[in-house]
Amino acid sequence: MDKIILFFIYVHSYANKLVLQGIAKLDMYLWRKTGRDTVVANFIWKLQRKYMSRSKRERKIMTFAFVGMIGAYYGWMILT
């Protein structure tokens, strides 16, 4: 059981590293093109602040709706 847990920790760590590198590369690209600093990172922080300022009930509803939309999309893709 511990090897399975370690495997998922490594997978999550690797995926997290790739996402953060992608955000950094996109920020660097936008900085070179526009001269604006950390556009993507600031947008993510702004979304997170808005999400966390909501009540617990509203956050649950938003999360359920988001997961439902993703499930509906992939369900539709599988069916067609």
Side-chain angles (χ1 to χ4, degrees):
M1 187 69 153
D2 61 333
K3 294 195 186 278
I4 294 171
I5 293 170
L6 285 175
F7 171 74
F8 282 112
I9 289 172
Y10 289 135
V11 168
H12 182 268
S13 173
Y14 182 70
N16 193 27
K17 181 180 175 183
L18 290 178
V19 167
L20 292 176
Q21 285 177 346
I23 291 170
K25 285 183 181 182
L26 186 59
D27 270 339
M28 183 60 74
Y29 173 78
L30 291 173
W31 176 71
R32 287 182 184 139
K33 294 294 180 186
T34 64
R36 294 181 62 201
D37 193 25
T38 62
V39 176
V40 177
N42 287 339
F43 178 73
I44 291 170
W45 281 111
K46 187 176 180 180
L47 280 179
Q48 185 178 10
R49 280 195 310 265
K50 283 184 177 183
Y51 178 77
M52 293 307 292
S53 69
R54 305 226 180 239
S55 71
K56 190 173 182 178
R57 182 175 181 269
E58 288 176 333
R59 288 195 310 253
K60 283 183 180 180
I61 291 170
M62 289 172 64
T63 302
F64 182 72
F66 180 72
V67 170
M69 288 173 34
I70 290 174
Y73 172 76
Y74 283 112
W76 179 258
M77 295 303 287
I78 290 171
L79 290 175
T80 57

